[in-house]
Amino acid sequence: MTKSQKNRIGSIVRYTLLTIWAVIVAFPLYWMVSTSFKPSEQWFAWPTVYIPDPWTIVNYLDVWTDRQEVATGQYIISAQRPWIAFGNSLMIALTATTLSVVYGAVIAYGVSRYRVLSEVRMFQLLMLRMIPPIVIVAPLSLYYSALGLLDTATGLILIYFLTTLPYSVWMLKSFIDEVPREVEQAAEILGAPRWRTLVEVVLPLVRSGIVATFLFILILTWSEYLLALLLAKTEVVTLPIELSKYQGTTEGRVYGRQAALSVGITVPLVFIGLIIRKHLARGFSFGMIRR
Amino acid sequence: MARIELVNLRKEFGALVAVKDINVTIEDEEFVVFVGPSGCGKTTTLRMIAGFEDPTAGEIRIGGRVVNDLEPRDRGLGMVFQSHALFPHKTVAQNIEFGLRMKKVPPAERARQVQEVAEMVRLTHLLDKMPAQCSGGESQRVALARTLVTHPSTFLLDEPLSSLDAKLRRELRAECDRLHQALKRTFIFVTHDQEEAMTLADRIVVMRNGVIEQMGSPMEIYSNPVNSFVADFFGSPSMNLLSGEVVHESGMCRFRCASGGFQVGLPDRFNGLPAGPITLGIRPEHVNAVPVGNGATNDLELAVRLVEPLGKETLLYFDVGMERPFVTVSESTAMAELDSGARLGLTLAREQICLFGPDGHRIRAGSAA
Ligand SMILES: Nc1ncnc2c1ncn2[C@@H]1O[C@H](COP(=O)(O)OP(=O)(O)OP(=O)(O)O)[C@@H](O)[C@H]1O
Ligand SMILES: [Mg+2]
């Protein structure tokens, strides 16, 4: 076998595996989107309906507007308020993520440049994240009720901020480590005060990393379920909690509506991802700075 | 104005002493080269002068003023890093302009000065490029320009030429020299390349293991090394070092080589030397090689192992049963034609012989021992 033949076989195998993998990954997404356009009788029809026929947007109208269309009579759902949940999620996730990334960046810089945390402490920080949230949620809800944080946006922001902080510190540290110290020192000896070195030299060089970290944390907080369920739920409802309300003992699962809501939850993330994709590619490939 | 004094300067990293109580005074407008093998503390010394490392003990004075507690930007120094450390997200012009912006120079004046300095180091055609698009030598010049434009009183250069090929190195070496002449500033240059040190320096500071072994002009260091380390470090090919012992024969003091079994008479000033182990050093150019059998008396006769013609001169390598071959350099064209194995008679220039004691220290005369 010649070398080029080997290469061809190699790439055929590679692409076949990747295609299979892509199908496995993409199928649930496809299923979500297609279900959201199906009329109610096709939600769990047998034989399986893969492509909605006829297409309908009634699920979307039902979930996202006040219009109660035909199919509803069959499944009576308590009045849902997805837009309020959407607003809550947006506010809580963005605030918590911003806090996490800003604080994370400050700590990561301190660790990278001044070792404010030793290696052991850094590892302990990561270990914190390995505790399953279910372990802390019961005592936490006691504290929260004592502090009046239960069922408040502030309470959720606080816990999201704290639980994602280890991730942002670790991720951002790896980006800051990539910026050679000497580049900063060069700015310093050329007369730049500390803050200008940070703003003009360090920040532009880790911008992609910050954006990548931001999106990562945003996805975590945007789709968080357990803490939102146990620490909030009635006054403050986030989208994942809202989603869980589309099923019940009497109504059964309202798949079409759920799918329509899920699409609404997913689209903003995809949208943000598209806007910042240039940074993501760079942020996740590291090593952008030539030494 | 920019006289720099290092007084008992010391730097420890935990248990490791990187710089051991060194004392150096660098005069205004002097070109001083710190040279030594890897890990001897050159960079650490330079970084202490710049203010990036706090000395464990000792003082740094610039223009008579103690600057230990001064921020790097307040010391009036310019530094070119070994890695160049350009700002990768700024164009060459923006890189050069950075220092001027920090000094709040107005834009029009900035542009003029950037242009001026770019012409000086010949990189006007690069001004709009990004650092990643520049070659090693170009980055080097950008780093230099970026520092030049701020008119520092002193330039600190940390192995600035180490990443370049031989030709560029020579070119930029000449450029450094030219700049030093033109600017009349103090230059502190760090390198581990003895040739760079020899060609550039007004004064060389030789370091080893955090200690200064010798300071002096290049010629002083070359012709009058204080120990076998310095002798060995300078010169290419380096000095021949033969271990052996001092023997006395009929009132004459002679050196007997530990291997090869030959003896060489020593100059009279060594007459008082006691018998004992010693190292003899002689530079390749101080050994005269002639074909055997022409009637002259030679110190020793050896078979050539390798002939290396360099054009103007020829290097001859001999095996003397030691780790390193014995090297001589000959300007005679006949030598370039020699086959290996040919026997040559060698004569050592008596007055050029250096002797080093067992601890490596130079022995200058018999009475000293
Ligand atoms: N930040 C540091 N922490 C611990 N040890 C250090 C640090 N910086 C330098 N050293 C040690 O100090 C010694 C001197 O280092 P230095 O960088 O000054 O050497 P150098 O003479 O510049 O060598 P080279 O020619 O390889 O650049 C080395 O043994 C080095 O390992
Ligand atoms: Mg160094």
Side-chain angles (χ1 to χ4, degrees):
Chain A
M1 221 175 355
T2 66
K3 203 173 167 196
S4 74
Q5 274 173 323
K6 261 190 206 159
N7 282 345
R8 270 195 63 186
I9 292 175
S11 59
I12 289 170
V13 169
R14 202 159 51 237
Y15 279 99
T16 312
L17 288 176
L18 285 174
T19 309
I20 294 171
W21 181 243
V23 169
I24 293 173
V25 169
F27 184 75
L29 284 174
Y30 168 75
W31 194 248
M32 172 181 82
V33 175
S34 79
T35 303
S36 74
F37 289 108
K38 284 175 190 170
S40 58
E41 59 283 2
Q42 288 172 16
W43 293 349
F44 22 53
W46 188 262
T48 317
V49 177
Y50 286 99
I51 296 167
D53 178 33
W55 292 72
T56 171
I57 56 163
V58 76
N59 295 317
Y60 286 91
L61 292 178
D62 252 11
V63 170
W64 296 103
T65 73
D66 288 337
R67 285 176 64 184
Q68 301 281 303
E69 289 288 328
V70 246
T72 355
Q74 223 175 319
Y75 306 97
I76 295 142
I77 309 159
S78 51
Q80 304 297 349
R81 294 175 301 173
W83 282 112
I84 291 175
F86 190 89
N88 283 339
S89 271
L90 201 64
M91 193 271 286
I92 291 170
L94 283 180
T95 314
T97 306
T98 308
L99 280 175
S100 176
V101 171
V102 169
Y103 270 76
V106 172
I107 297 174
Y109 187 82
V111 175
S112 175
R113 295 297 194 245
Y114 302 106
R115 313 223 163 140
V116 292
L117 296 179
S118 64
E119 300 242 320
V120 178
R121 287 272 174 280
M122 277 297 281
F123 196 66
Q124 283 170 350
L125 192 68
L126 197 64
M127 293 286 280
L128 278 182
R129 251 329 306 205
M130 295 177 186
I131 302 167
I134 194 78
V135 175
I136 55 159
V137 81
L140 199 62
S141 63
L142 290 179
Y143 284 129
Y144 264 41
S145 82
L147 292 168
L149 288 172
L150 215 52
D151 221 356
T152 62
T154 317
L156 277 186
I157 290 172
L158 194 64
I159 194 68
Y160 286 168
F161 160 49
L162 290 175
T163 52
T164 55
L165 197 57
Y167 289 136
S168 50
V169 171
W170 268 88
M171 277 184 80
L172 290 166
K173 177 176 172 289
S174 69
F175 290 111
I176 295 170
D177 284 345
E178 287 278 302
V179 179
R181 255 195 122 118
E182 295 192 339
V183 173
E184 264 180 83
Q185 291 171 339
E188 233 171 287
I189 206 161
L190 287 170
R194 286 301 299 154
W195 68 269
R196 280 200 86 161
T197 308
L198 287 176
V199 172
E200 286 211 33
V201 176
V202 183
L203 213 54
L205 292 177
V206 296
R207 195 172 51 198
S208 291
I210 290 179
V211 170
T213 310
F214 188 89
L215 188 70
F216 178 72
I217 307 267
L218 187 69
I219 291 171
L220 286 182
T221 50
W222 180 256
S223 53
E224 203 285 329
Y225 181 72
L226 185 68
L227 294 170
L229 182 71
L230 297 173
L231 297 179
K233 183 185 186 179
T234 43
E235 290 293 318
V236 180
V237 176
T238 59
L239 278 175
I241 304 298
E242 180 72 14
L243 191 61
S244 73
K245 291 186 176 169
Y246 285 75
Q247 56 190 345
T249 42
T250 50
E251 303 93 341
R253 272 179 184 264
V254 199
Y255 283 119
R257 257 26 78 73
Q258 233 176 358
L261 187 60
S262 298
V263 171
I265 298 177
T266 315
V267 163
L269 289 184
V270 174
F271 190 65
I272 294 175
L274 283 179
I275 297 177
I276 61 179
R277 69 182 184 283
K278 190 186 85 193
H279 288 291
L280 285 184
R282 255 200 266 159
F284 284 123
S285 59
F286 296 82
M288 55 175 282
I289 297 157
R290 202 171 72 149
R291 273 163 200 276
Chain B
M1 183 191 87
R3 177 188 160 111
I4 296 178
E5 293 158 277
L6 311 181
V7 186
N8 294 323
L9 197 62
R10 184 180 183 87
K11 179 69 187 179
E12 298 170 5
F13 294 108
L16 180 100
V17 187
V19 175
K20 285 185 198 127
D21 312 314
I22 62 169
N23 287 284
V24 187
T25 301
I26 296 153
E27 298 298 338
D28 196 19
E29 297 181 23
E30 199 176 15
F31 198 127
V32 170
V33 176
F34 280 76
V35 64
S38 191
C40 68
K42 309 178 296 285
T43 298
T44 308
T45 307
L46 206 63
R47 289 175 58 81
M48 283 194 283
I49 298 173
F52 296 128
E53 303 281 357
D54 291 327
T56 309
E59 268 180 10
I60 300 163
R61 296 193 204 126
I62 300 178
R65 176 174 171 211
V66 179
V67 297
N68 286 37
D69 295 325
L70 227 53
E71 290 287 316
R73 67 167 176 277
D74 299 325
R75 296 190 182 193
L77 310 169
M79 181 153 177
V80 175
F81 294 84
Q82 179 169 359
S83 58
H84 305 161
L86 301 181
F87 307 127
H89 57 298
K90 292 177 187 285
T91 63
V92 167
Q94 287 169 337
N95 262 280
I96 300 175
E97 194 190 38
F98 188 86
L100 296 175
R101 275 186 34 235
M102 295 305 122
K103 283 187 178 172
K104 303 198 171 61
V105 176
E109 175 63 14
R110 283 206 303 259
R112 196 190 61 75
Q113 291 195 24
V114 168
Q115 195 61 35
E116 189 181 291
V117 79
E119 272 159 30
M120 189 190 269
V121 297
R122 293 186 283 269
L123 46 69
T124 31
H125 58 293
L126 295 173
L127 284 175
D128 295 325
K129 282 197 181 181
M130 298 304 283
Q133 298 167 298
C134 295
S135 73
E138 289 166 350
S139 307
Q140 162 64 43
R141 293 214 292 273
V142 178
L144 204 55
R146 185 175 68 172
T147 305
L148 279 174
V149 83
T150 59
H151 302 295
S153 65
T154 301
F155 288 84
L156 307 175
L157 304 122
D158 189 1
E159 304 198 28
L161 311 183
S162 62
S163 58
L164 311 177
D165 68 50
K167 184 166 173 290
L168 253 172
R169 242 175 132 117
R170 268 198 305 277
E171 255 176 62
L172 285 166
R173 202 158 72 195
E175 201 147 294
C176 279
D177 219 8
R178 185 171 62 84
L179 283 171
H180 178 239
Q181 310 274 341
L183 297 171
K184 305 221 180 307
R185 299 291 156 120
T186 312
F187 275 62
I188 305 178
F189 189 107
V190 162
T191 179
H192 57 245
D193 179 346
Q194 57 90 19
E195 194 186 322
E196 228 162 75
M198 296 287 288
T199 48
L200 282 173
D202 290 332
R203 200 150 55 106
I204 293 177
V205 178
V206 190
M207 289 184 76
R208 175 170 62 161
N209 296 333
V211 175
I212 294 177
E213 297 283 355
Q214 190 172 358
M215 271 188 274
S217 72
M219 276 330 285
E220 242 171 84
I221 300 249
Y222 185 77
S223 51
N224 206 357
V226 298
N227 58 30
S228 57
F229 167 77
V230 177
D232 191 30
F233 197 85
F234 288 88
S236 173
S238 52
M239 185 183 267
N240 295 298
L241 293 171
L242 303 170
S243 49
E245 57 184 337
V246 175
V247 291
H248 295 277
E249 256 172 36
S250 54
M252 289 292 291
C253 190
R254 296 176 71 80
F255 169 82
R256 185 164 71 208
C257 189
S259 62
F262 62 86
Q263 291 195 2
V264 187
L266 294 173
D268 290 344
R269 67 175 189 276
F270 293 120
N271 274 346
L273 272 184
I278 206 156
T279 301
L280 179 146
I282 183 97
R283 296 220 176 260
E285 63 269 31
H286 296 142
V287 180
N288 189 33
V290 290
V292 268
N294 61 355
T297 52
N298 301 311
D299 287 326
L300 62 155
E301 274 183 33
L302 289 170
V304 186
R305 209 184 65 196
L306 181 70
V307 181
E308 205 174 83
L310 297 178
K312 182 171 143 298
E313 53 196 23
T314 302
L315 299 184
L316 304 166
Y317 294 79
F318 303 89
D319 202 345
V320 285
M322 292 191 187
E323 223 174 289
R324 295 195 313 199
F326 188 84
V327 189
T328 71
V329 52
S330 167
E331 295 201 359
S332 142
T333 44
M335 292 296 175
E337 312 291 326
L338 277 182
D339 292 321
S340 60
R343 291 190 72 80
L344 291 177
L346 304 176
T347 308
L348 278 52
R350 286 289 180 283
E351 287 312 311
Q352 303 298 340
I353 287 175
C354 297
L355 292 182
F356 303 101
D359 58 355
H361 269 86
R362 177 89 175 268
I363 297 167
R364 295 190 184 272
S367 54

